[in-house]
């Protein structure tokens, strides 16, 4: 099956200074992700999952090798260009939700669109639609502190999806959730993946998440040790 | 976006409460101190101007060189003619002839023997002339302690402290010993019509205020005046205007070869006054500078704490595709809005305090007993147009400065670091 590649990593290394020497967090990673994939990085703690997601998300750049995401070479992007790439093309979902506590659910979801300088009417329509995807239209005016963990993560999904990015990166999205909520949010994302064709890349330890993944990439000590589902 | 930031400020007390309190207090204090200094200094200057120097002062050249001694042998002759000339040259100025003198007052007992003698400083001014503004300049009516103001020639006023020291009551007579213009000895009897207290210890110690006609007669100074004072039509000392008048007059008289040609000086030329004026002009900016620095340091720290608390927010905003530069700018916008909110509150409070104290004043006469400087004994802040905006200078500026400094710390962090810190 030939699909359009939206993420392409070739010979990626990431080294962090560790005292006098260097610590190699990613060791010669070459991977590609196509449009509409629902894929996951799995592996023990410290294996480099977050580091890899950060590079794909243009929050960090490789020490060596090349990373191309949505047609942009991450290695050479300026701060501003990287911000623009994230703004237009990439959504993030975090383990700890990271909603802005002083704003309402609605404001939290709307923020991504404010950055894109969309008009008010358009923003409103998109925000309400995103809240509908995750079943939270009734909570639009609540503050995050009034929501359960599962609801918070659904708001985070709405926030990531509201701008309809081509790529969503989810770093251990279920780690703080109980079993029922874990299933619920992954099902929600899977549905959006099917309906909107959005590419999802997870990092996870969670068996409940893994069962939904079309493709599993196993990392260990910064290297890809196994892949299934290709 | 502005609306979004404003919502954040209003919803997040931790972000806004401390800065707003600091800014409110800072701009309130700035306004108060500015008005206070302007009021107190302005009133001191007014006193000097009204009692001693006018806004500009005309003397003969040799008199001017020795003016602290009141050398009346060097007085302006035919001074009325000079006043007429001055009225033509500078019609906006009000001119008043005066004679200043030092003398000895001799208070007799009922038998005419000397009961006591004291040195006095004298003001000879137009007390009795119709429409004279001199009584008003000395605030005589309000300063009267006992008796009444002089109503005819031969009457004069004594300062209350002096009268009390020698047990003199209104209606009693005393003898003034002085020198004539020719250097001869003169003595003249005066009746004390009343006693006055100016509230300025430097004046109250031993002052005689008499009508200029009587003093001319007493000291053989017919047609002469020691000084001609010019008063500009402003409530406060208008330094620029006074200097301009002085400059024009001196230019007109520059070519006069006469040894006793007139010369103009302004209030500035009083010894120490130039410094005092410079001080009163710059004290405001120094004060604001100090406030800005102190407040900026407090707000910088508040900004740093607030920034640390908001790492998650910054991380999320970066992930959502906001440029760090943009986040930095939005912090400055927040600072601007917080600063404006605080400054508005501070201005309202500060202006209220100024208005309240302006109408009451604070009586400091108790502390001023031994002062030699001409100072009012009731201090009040001045209501000036400046007070409506001066609070915004420290308020907004220190908030911007503080947050700009705090923001640099956040701005300098690597994107991934900032981001990792939030992931913990
Ligand atoms: N900024 C950094 N500086 C130094 N070392 C780092 C940095 N970021 C990550 N590392 C190191 O790189 C390795 C990989 O970290 P990473 O966060 O990618 O692991 P992970 O697979 O996401 O682990 P977990 O499952 O615990 O989230 C770890 O040993 C970590 O200590
Ligand atoms: Mg991780």
């Amino acid at each position: 099956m030939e699909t359009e590649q939206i993420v392409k990593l070739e010979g990626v290394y990431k080294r962090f200074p560790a005292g006098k020497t260097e610590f190699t967090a990613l060791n010669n990673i070459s991977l590609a992700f196509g449009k509409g994939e629902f894929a996951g990085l799995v592996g023990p703690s410290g294996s480099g999952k977050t580091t890899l997601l950060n590079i794909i998300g243009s929050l960090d750049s490789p020490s060596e090798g090349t990373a191309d995401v949505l047609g942009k070479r991450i290695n050479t992007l300026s701060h501003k260009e990287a911000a623009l790439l994230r703004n237009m093309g990439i959504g993030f979902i975090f383990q700890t939700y990271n909603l802005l506590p002083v704003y309402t659910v609605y404001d939290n979801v709307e923020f991504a669109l404010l950055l894109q300088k969309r008009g008010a009417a358009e923003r409103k329509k998109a925000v309400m639609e995103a809240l509908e995807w995750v079943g939270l239209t009734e909570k639009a005016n609540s503050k995050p502190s009034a929501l359960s963990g599962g609801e918070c993560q659904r708001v985070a999904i709405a926030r990531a999806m509201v701008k309809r990015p081509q790529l969503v990166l989810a770093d251990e999205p279920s780690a703080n959730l109980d079993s029922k909520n874990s299933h619920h949010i992954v099902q929600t994302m899977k549905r959006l993946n099917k309906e909107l064709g959005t590419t999802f890349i997870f990092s996870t330890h969670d068996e409940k998440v893994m069962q939904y993944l079309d493709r599993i990439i196993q990392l260990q000590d910064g290297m890809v040790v196994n892949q299934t589902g290709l | 976006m502005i609306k979004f930031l404003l919502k954040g400020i209003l919803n997040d007390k931790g972000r806004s409460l401390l800065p707003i309190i600091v800014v409110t207090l800072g701009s309130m204090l700035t306004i108060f101190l500015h008005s206070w200094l302007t009021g107190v200094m302005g009133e001191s200057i007014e006193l000097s101007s009204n009692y001693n120097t006018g806004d500009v002062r005309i003397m003969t050249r040799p008199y001017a060189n020795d003016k602290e001694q009141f050398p009346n042998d060097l007085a302006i002759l035919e001074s009325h003619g000079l006043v007429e000339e001055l009225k033509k040259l500078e019609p906006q100025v009000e001119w008043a002839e005066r004679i200043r003198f030092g003398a000895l007052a001799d208070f007799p007992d009922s038998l005419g023997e000397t009961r006591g003698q004291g040195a006095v400083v004298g003001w000879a001014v137009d007390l009795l002339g119709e429409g004279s503004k001199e009584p008003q300049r000395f605030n005589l009516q309000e300063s009267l302690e006992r008796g009444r103001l002089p109503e005819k020639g031969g009457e004069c006023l004594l300062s209350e402290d002096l009268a009390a020291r020698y047990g003199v009551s209104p209606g009693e007579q005393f003898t003034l010993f002085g020198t004539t213009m020719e250097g001869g000895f003169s003595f003249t009897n005066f009746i004390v019509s009343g006693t006055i207290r100016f509230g300025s210890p430097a004046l109250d110690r031993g002052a005689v205020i008499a009508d200029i006609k009587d003093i001319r007669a007493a000291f053989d100074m017919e047609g002469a005046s020691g000084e001609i004072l010019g008063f500009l039509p402003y409530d406060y000392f208008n330094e620029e205007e006074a200097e301009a008048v002085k400059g024009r007059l001196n230019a007109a008289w520059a070519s006069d070869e006469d040894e006793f040609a007139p010369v103009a000086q302004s209030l500035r030329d009083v010894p120490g006054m130039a410094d005092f004026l410079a001080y009163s002009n710059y004290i405001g900016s120094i004060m604001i500078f100090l406030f800005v620095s102190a407040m900026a340091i407090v707000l910088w720290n508040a900004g740093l704490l607030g920034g640390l608390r908001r790492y998650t927010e910054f991380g999320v905003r970066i992930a959502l595709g906001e440029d760090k530069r943009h986040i930095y700018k939005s912090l400055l916008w927040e600072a601007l809005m917080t600063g404006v909110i605080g400054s508005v509150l501070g201005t309202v409070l500060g202006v209220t305090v100024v208005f309240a104290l302006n109408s009451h004043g604070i009586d400091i006469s108790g502390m001023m007993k031994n002062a030699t400087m001409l100072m009012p004994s009731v201090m009040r802040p001045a209501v000036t147009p400046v007070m409506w905006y001066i609070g915004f200078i420290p308020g907004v500026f220190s908030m911007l400065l503080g947050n700009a400094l705090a923001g640099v710390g956040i701005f300098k962090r690597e994107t991934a670091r900032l981001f990792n810190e939030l992931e913990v």
Side-chain angles (χ1 to χ4, degrees):
Chain A
M1 181 175 72
E2 273 297 306
T3 53
E4 190 190 335
Q5 281 187 353
I6 62 170
V7 176
K8 191 155 191 280
L9 308 170
E10 269 181 279
V12 166
Y13 287 81
K14 182 68 190 180
R15 303 186 187 94
F16 293 111
K20 288 203 175 73
T21 58
E22 283 185 327
F23 175 80
T24 306
L26 294 179
N27 194 342
N28 195 12
I29 303 270
S30 296
L31 279 173
F33 295 90
K35 197 169 162 41
E37 278 205 50
F38 202 72
L41 308 170
V42 301
S45 183
S47 57
K49 304 182 294 290
T50 299
T51 307
L52 188 57
L53 284 183
N54 281 353
I55 289 174
I56 297 172
S58 80
L59 292 165
D60 210 346
S61 63
S63 310
E64 200 182 306
T66 58
D68 295 291
V69 176
L70 302 175
K72 298 277 188 289
R73 169 84 25 120
I74 299 298
N75 309 54
T76 57
L77 290 182
S78 69
H79 273 305
K80 216 182 166 130
E81 290 164 336
L84 189 68
L85 172 65
R86 291 194 295 275
N87 188 4
M88 302 312 282
I90 306 174
F92 286 86
I93 295 165
F94 313 97
Q95 172 179 338
T96 51
Y97 329 133
N98 289 329
L99 302 178
L100 307 182
V102 303
Y103 295 102
T104 62
V105 165
Y106 183 96
D107 293 334
N108 265 282
V109 177
E110 188 189 28
F111 183 70
L113 300 177
L114 281 175
L115 289 177
Q116 293 184 341
K117 302 196 161 65
R118 305 262 198 99
E122 194 190 345
R123 288 202 306 266
K124 180 158 190 181
K125 187 164 166 278
V127 172
M128 290 321 288
E129 188 179 25
L131 288 177
E132 219 172 281
W133 290 335
V134 297
L136 282 176
T137 40
E138 258 125 70
K139 303 276 186 180
N141 291 317
S142 306
K143 289 274 171 67
S145 54
L147 302 185
S148 73
E151 286 170 330
C152 282
Q153 198 58 302
R154 275 146 66 197
V155 176
I157 294 170
R159 177 175 67 184
M161 293 302 301
V162 68
K163 59 189 180 188
R164 296 177 178 246
Q166 284 184 267
L167 175 63
V168 169
L169 305 174
D171 197 354
E172 319 222 13
S174 64
N176 285 352
L177 298 178
D178 61 22
S179 163
K180 185 167 151 263
N181 275 305
S182 297
H183 279 289
H184 187 155
I185 63 133
V186 185
Q187 281 163 3
T188 305
M189 288 191 269
K190 182 90 195 177
R191 200 182 75 235
L192 291 168
N193 165 256
K194 287 265 141 16
E195 285 173 12
L196 303 173
T198 312
T199 305
F200 281 80
I201 306 177
F202 290 80
S203 98
T204 187
H205 299 293
D206 188 347
E207 297 287 340
K208 302 184 290 298
V209 174
M210 285 184 221
Q211 71 188 66
Y212 294 93
L213 299 176
D214 299 334
R215 175 184 172 196
I216 291 175
I217 298 148
Q218 242 179 332
L219 290 184
Q220 190 151 5
D221 297 332
M223 288 182 283
V224 178
V225 292
N226 193 17
Q227 286 201 56
T228 56
L230 264 182
Chain B
M1 197 68 188
I2 300 283
K3 199 174 139 202
F4 181 82
L5 294 176
L6 197 58
K7 248 189 232 172
I9 292 174
L10 296 180
N11 288 345
D12 184 2
K13 298 238 161 36
R15 191 179 308 181
S16 52
L17 198 61
L18 176 69
I20 287 181
I21 288 173
V22 171
V23 169
T24 302
L25 285 177
S27 50
M28 184 181 120
L29 277 173
T30 305
I31 290 168
F32 178 72
L33 279 180
H34 172 86
S35 294
W36 182 255
L37 284 167
T38 315
V40 170
M41 290 193 164
E43 228 157 305
S44 301
I45 292 168
E46 267 303 292
L47 280 181
S48 283
S49 166
N50 284 339
Y51 291 5
N52 288 338
T53 63
D55 295 333
V56 289
R57 170 155 66 153
I58 315 298
M59 296 154 284
T60 65
R61 286 171 191 170
Y63 185 106
N65 288 335
D66 215 7
K67 58 185 184 258
E68 280 75 46
Q69 308 302 322
F70 313 135
N72 282 327
D73 50 328
L74 307 173
I76 304 162
L77 301 175
E78 313 285 330
S79 56
H80 188 71
L82 183 55
V83 168
E84 291 305 313
E85 185 189 333
L86 286 167
K87 278 184 186 160
K88 277 195 208 100
L89 288 171
E90 302 290 342
Q92 83 284 14
V93 183
E94 289 178 3
W95 299 100
E97 298 174 67
R98 286 191 187 173
I99 296 172
R100 299 296 310 278
F101 57 91
L104 200 65
D106 182 292
F107 302 99
D109 60 19
S110 54
L111 300 170
E113 299 294 319
T114 295
R115 178 169 41 169
Q117 277 189 337
V120 295
V121 179
W123 277 261
V125 304
D126 183 6
L127 282 182
L128 303 173
E130 206 168 310
S132 168
K133 291 199 174 155
E134 296 282 70
Q136 199 181 314
R137 287 194 189 108
F138 283 87
N139 200 21
L140 289 181
Q141 196 63 56
E142 285 73 26
S143 309
L144 200 63
E145 276 290 299
R146 293 186 281 157
R148 54 167 175 76
L149 298 185
E151 283 166 1
K152 54 181 189 292
E155 292 184 340
C156 74
L157 294 167
L158 281 190
S159 59
E160 171 65 23
D161 291 0
L162 182 70
R165 205 174 324 135
Y166 295 105
V168 183
S169 306
E172 290 181 5
Q173 213 180 40
F174 74 99
T175 309
L176 196 66
F177 290 96
T179 21
T180 67
M181 233 179 133
E182 265 69 53
F185 188 63
S186 108
F187 53 93
T188 316
N189 289 337
F190 281 93
I191 289 170
V192 179
S193 72
T195 64
I196 41 175
R197 189 192 297 283
F198 292 118
S200 176
L203 292 176
D204 284 332
R205 230 162 278 151
V208 171
I209 298 183
D211 187 62
I212 194 164
K213 282 200 185 103
D214 290 341
I215 294 298
R216 279 183 182 138
F219 297 155
D220 288 342
M221 290 180 70
E222 276 323 314
S225 297
E227 312 172 346
I228 300 170
L229 304 189
F231 296 95
L232 289 164
Y234 306 105
D235 293 342
Y236 57 97
F237 175 52
N238 187 332
E239 193 181 343
E240 266 172 50
E241 182 72 24
E243 289 296 315
V245 170
K246 167 185 138 184
R248 286 194 295 268
L249 290 175
N250 284 337
W253 295 327
S255 57
D256 197 332
E257 302 277 296
D258 186 351
E259 189 192 344
F260 291 94
V263 62
Q265 295 191 341
S266 85
L267 184 55
R268 252 192 95 84
D269 301 315
V270 174
M273 186 55 80
D275 291 342
F276 186 67
L277 287 176
Y279 181 64
S280 81
N281 284 344
Y282 289 116
I283 189 83
S285 23
I286 292 167
M287 198 184 66
I288 288 170
F289 175 77
L290 289 179
F291 266 117
V292 168
S293 312
M295 285 164 63
I297 291 168
V298 173
L299 294 168
W300 174 12
N301 283 293
L304 275 178
L305 288 178
L308 287 176
R309 221 170 45 87
R310 289 169 69 188
Y311 258 35
T312 307
E313 177 189 334
F314 299 143
V316 169
R317 284 164 65 173
I318 283 172
L320 285 175
E322 192 172 354
D323 190 18
K324 271 203 294 188
R325 222 173 283 270
H326 192 269
I327 293 183
Y328 188 69
K329 262 194 244 163
S330 77
L331 281 182
L332 293 186
W333 270 107
E334 281 185 25
L336 184 68
M337 289 188 268
T338 321
V340 167
I341 293 173
S343 300
V344 168
L345 289 175
T347 300
V348 169
L349 288 174
V351 163
T352 310
V353 171
V354 167
F355 272 116
L357 279 178
N358 180 266
S359 54
H360 292 297
I362 297 174
D363 192 339
I364 56 156
S365 51
M367 296 185 273
M368 297 285 298
K369 283 230 156 56
N370 298 312
T372 51
M373 208 182 143
L374 213 46
M375 290 273 268
S377 60
V378 176
M379 298 208 166
R380 54 185 83 238
V383 172
T384 64
V386 175
M387 72 182 184
W388 291 104
Y389 64 80
I390 198 160
F392 284 81
I393 298 171
V396 173
F397 187 71
S398 56
M399 191 64 200
L400 276 176
L401 188 66
N403 274 44
L405 288 171
V408 166
I410 295 155
F411 186 68
K412 275 200 175 147
R413 290 185 114 78
E414 283 300 309
T415 304
R417 286 266 319 269
L418 192 55
F419 198 68
N420 278 351
E421 280 165 52
L422 101 93
E423 270 295 279
V424 179

